[in-house]
Amino acid sequence: MTTPDPTDLPLGFRDRVLALVARIPPGRVMTYGQLALLAGQPGAARQAGFVLNSLMGGTDLPWQRVINAQGRVSTHKLGFGDVQQKLLEAEGVVFDASGRCDLKVRQWWPDEDRNAPPEPMLGMLPPRRNGPQDA
């Protein structure tokens, strides 16, 4: 399995994913697959995760509010799953003994049409990285 190349992401997908993440209210969550669907790329959950992973190095976006479809934090392999879970718990998200939150209670959907990709929120997005020279 290979890591997706950021240049292979559909035009505008990154901006739409980040615009959605910026809108998730405290104490609520979205799944990677849900982000991909709402950003206009159904089935691109892994690519949505890649977009969020590209934020490493600091961001004001509430990245911690994105979890997997089972209601679990899936960033443990990246070394910050405990941090993500603690941030969510501080917002009132409760995880059971198996590490799941109740998506029926905590999953957030925008008020507009669930199938319509959002417009990027100008000024809310971190600078775009074009390649290694920008790292």
Side-chain angles (χ1 to χ4, degrees):
M1 183 180 332
T2 61
T3 302
D5 182 338
T7 60
D8 289 342
L9 295 173
L11 188 62
F13 178 75
R14 177 183 188 276
D15 293 339
R16 290 189 302 270
V17 165
L18 296 177
L20 277 163
V21 171
R23 296 175 52 209
I24 305 170
R28 303 298 293 276
V29 297
M30 287 185 117
T31 68
Y32 296 101
Q34 179 186 5
L35 273 175
L37 172 71
L38 292 173
Q41 294 294 314
R46 194 174 298 258
Q47 288 81 358
F50 179 76
V51 168
L52 293 179
N53 190 42
S54 73
L55 298 176
M56 301 305 283
T59 181
D60 291 333
L61 290 175
W63 61 269
Q64 73 274 10
R65 297 178 188 152
V66 182
I67 60 176
N68 69 30
Q70 289 76 44
R72 295 182 174 161
V73 168
S74 57
T75 55
H76 291 289
K77 290 184 266 182
L78 301 174
F80 50 90
D82 291 339
V83 170
Q84 182 178 11
Q85 186 164 330
K86 286 186 187 333
L87 287 168
L88 288 169
E89 289 172 341
E91 294 181 0
V93 177
V94 176
F95 292 87
D96 66 17
S98 71
R100 285 184 187 203
C101 80
D102 187 347
L103 287 175
K104 289 179 184 168
V105 173
R106 294 295 175 173
Q107 190 170 21
W108 178 76
W109 288 91
D111 289 334
E112 69 271 4
D113 182 345
R114 292 182 180 195
N115 294 320
E119 293 297 320
M121 296 169 57
L122 298 176
M124 291 293 294
L125 303 178
R128 181 183 301 269
R129 287 183 159 171
N130 293 324
Q133 73 276 8
D134 295 334

